[in-house]
Amino acid sequence: MSTPDLSAFEAMARRAVETFPEPFRKSAAEVLLQVEEWPPEDVLREMEIDDPLELTGLYEGIPMTERAISAPSPWPDRVWLFRQPILAEWRDRGNVELEDLVAHVVVHEIAHHFGWSDEQIAEIDRWWE
């Protein structure tokens, strides 16, 4: 079996969003999904990440909890998925389906769209145990 390409990763991410319960699904579906091979160098520098394999996904936007009708966002929210880091984690784990890992990264990043911090996500996210 060949390794899924960027479009296959995007399809997996879209399927994950389609499984969200309402009312989350509609709002999550409005977030752009973008899959790239690697995180951009400027993002890694800004986040002070030395190893690009450490960044599997990224939320870019204004969380719903911080939005104001009087100051709408000039751009749509976006979730970035980074294919090579996800594949590396999938290979390292060896105990999860790739589609489940992609879905997990999507859920984590979409949680930021809804205003959750990494700390809040970690409180309920038992994936990493």
Side-chain angles (χ1 to χ4, degrees), residues 4-127:
D5 63 10
L6 294 173
S7 64
F9 264 67
E10 183 177 340
M12 287 185 258
R14 292 194 185 291
R15 284 193 295 274
V17 172
E18 290 167 4
T19 68
F20 285 21
E22 285 301 343
F24 303 105
R25 185 180 321 126
K26 184 176 188 291
S27 182
E30 294 172 358
V31 175
L32 298 177
L33 295 172
Q34 184 149 352
V35 183
E36 299 290 338
E37 288 291 334
W38 293 99
E41 287 294 324
D42 61 323
V43 169
L44 294 171
R45 268 193 311 278
E46 183 178 319
M47 295 180 74
E48 298 179 355
I49 296 174
D50 295 325
D51 183 354
L53 292 175
E54 291 180 18
L55 189 61
T56 56
L58 180 68
Y59 167 70
E60 180 180 68
I62 299 173
M64 293 182 73
T65 54
E66 298 176 19
R67 294 183 182 184
I69 294 174
S70 60
S73 176
W75 57 87
D77 288 8
R78 179 182 319 259
V79 164
W80 297 84
L81 300 176
F82 303 115
R83 181 176 169 269
Q84 292 299 331
I86 291 171
L87 286 172
E89 181 175 333
W90 174 63
R91 283 187 213 101
D92 288 348
R93 284 176 169 271
N95 65 348
V96 297
E97 295 294 323
L98 180 58
E99 186 144 352
D100 292 340
L101 180 56
V102 170
H104 180 77
V105 174
V106 169
V107 168
H108 179 99
E109 299 308 332
I110 293 285
H112 291 309
H113 168 70
F114 289 111
W116 289 49
S117 69
D118 279 328
E119 293 77 19
Q120 291 169 318
I121 295 167
E123 286 179 22
I124 65 163
D125 184 3
R126 301 297 174 221
W127 179 271

